[in-house]
Amino acid sequence: FVRFANWCARVGLRSPVGLNTVEGAPRTCRFVSADGKGCACKDFRAAAGSANMCRCGHRCHGHRSDSAQQTLQMQLLSSRPAHWVSSGIGLVPLTDPAVLSQMQFLLDATHLESNNWTRDRGCALHGVNRCGNDCIFANRARVPTGYRLVGAWRNQNPALWARYSLMRATILQECRKTPCARCNLESSSPAFESIDASGLVGKINECRLFHGTSASACREICEKNFQLSLAGTGATWKTPGKSP
């Protein structure tokens, strides 16, 4: 759906996206009769015995929030989180001591202290993917005993954020039909649920993940997003000739 929405924007179609990207926002009834009269219902309220029918007599699909009525172009302008620096585009340094302290706590709480070696760490003698399994297991590269935060940046990329918001709203809509089982991760526990005023949606198991890479690759990702075609081509361990 997100790709379709982007295609509509590229070819100049200005149809409403139709997804409620703001969790908890009122879903006004958009029904209009043949004589041009609209429904007075300001929010969807399920009728008795029917989860898909509102008390106003119109189906749930006819109830959409103001954000769902926006075109993709409008969402690019309006979906920016309120705490973003208004004049900043791209990587914006974080300076709030409380936020930086919370991020350091996140690094400490999610660090696995034992049984934490994986084959993508490589060999202490030859590096990554440069020797056989026997040598790798016999000479395991050391794993860091901890991490110290030296700086943090927020990626203020409106286009990527709008695309992410659409995908999150799509998943949330599916989970309303078929709720998913809660997956509890340390990085999305209550202590880290709202780092830098960026809350997580627990209903869809939204969580925070770490991605280790170089500074140049990080900047490329922040500008253009991840490239799935590159999955497994970095330090990920794999058998030669086989897909990762």
Side-chain angles (χ1 to χ4, degrees):
F1 176 82
V2 175
R3 291 179 180 177
F4 174 73
N6 280 302
W7 175 83
C8 289
R10 287 197 302 271
V11 299
L13 295 178
R14 299 188 176 277
S15 301
V17 172
L19 283 174
N20 299 301
T21 57
V22 181
E23 177 67 6
R27 297 161 58 194
T28 304
C29 183
R30 306 293 174 174
F31 174 83
V32 178
S33 63
D35 57 1
K37 295 181 179 179
C39 180
C41 178
K42 298 300 181 182
D43 196 7
F44 178 81
R45 296 172 298 167
S50 177
N52 295 319
M53 187 67 71
C54 181
R55 296 179 186 178
C56 70
H58 302 122
R59 299 184 65 82
C60 63
H61 301 299
H63 291 72
R64 291 189 295 272
S65 66
D66 290 341
S67 65
Q69 288 295 100
Q70 293 178 330
T71 63
L72 185 61
Q73 292 89 339
M74 287 300 298
Q75 287 203 354
L76 285 173
L77 298 174
S78 65
S79 66
R80 291 169 58 105
H83 66 285
W84 280 16
V85 177
S86 58
S87 59
I89 296 294
L91 293 175
V92 176
L94 299 180
T95 57
D96 186 343
V99 174
L100 296 176
S101 177
Q102 197 174 24
M103 288 185 169
Q104 178 63 65
F105 182 32
L106 175 63
L107 290 173
D108 297 338
T110 57
H111 176 66
L112 190 62
E113 296 182 356
S114 61
N115 193 30
N116 57 6
W117 183 86
T118 53
R119 286 177 291 190
D120 60 297
R121 289 282 177 186
C123 174
L125 301 178
H126 305 102
V128 178
N129 293 335
R130 295 181 179 177
C131 56
N133 292 343
D134 292 341
C135 186
I136 293 175
F137 279 97
N139 302 284
R140 298 180 177 185
R142 294 182 61 186
V143 179
T145 57
Y147 300 93
R148 180 171 63 89
L149 183 73
V150 297
W153 290 259
R154 180 195 305 123
N155 185 28
Q156 295 193 175
N157 187 320
L160 290 186
W161 180 255
R163 183 173 181 179
Y164 178 79
S165 298
L166 283 178
M167 181 61 73
R168 180 171 57 182
T170 302
I171 297 173
L172 184 59
Q173 185 169 286
E174 290 297 319
C175 287
R176 286 196 184 101
K177 300 175 183 177
T178 308
C180 60
R182 186 63 188 267
C183 179
N184 296 313
L185 298 176
E186 186 66 38
S187 63
S188 56
S189 62
F192 311 114
E193 195 172 17
S194 187
I195 295 179
D196 189 35
S198 180
L200 300 174
V201 181
K203 296 178 182 178
I204 60 173
N205 286 320
E206 186 180 22
C207 61
R208 306 185 191 281
L209 299 175
F210 291 105
H211 179 69
T213 187
S214 65
S216 59
C218 185
R219 285 191 289 269
E220 185 79 7
I221 292 170
C222 289
E223 290 177 8
K224 302 177 181 178
N225 208 351
F226 287 94
Q227 295 185 41
L228 294 181
S229 61
L230 297 179
T233 60
T236 304
W237 181 90
K238 55 185 178 296
T239 301
K242 294 185 178 181
S243 60

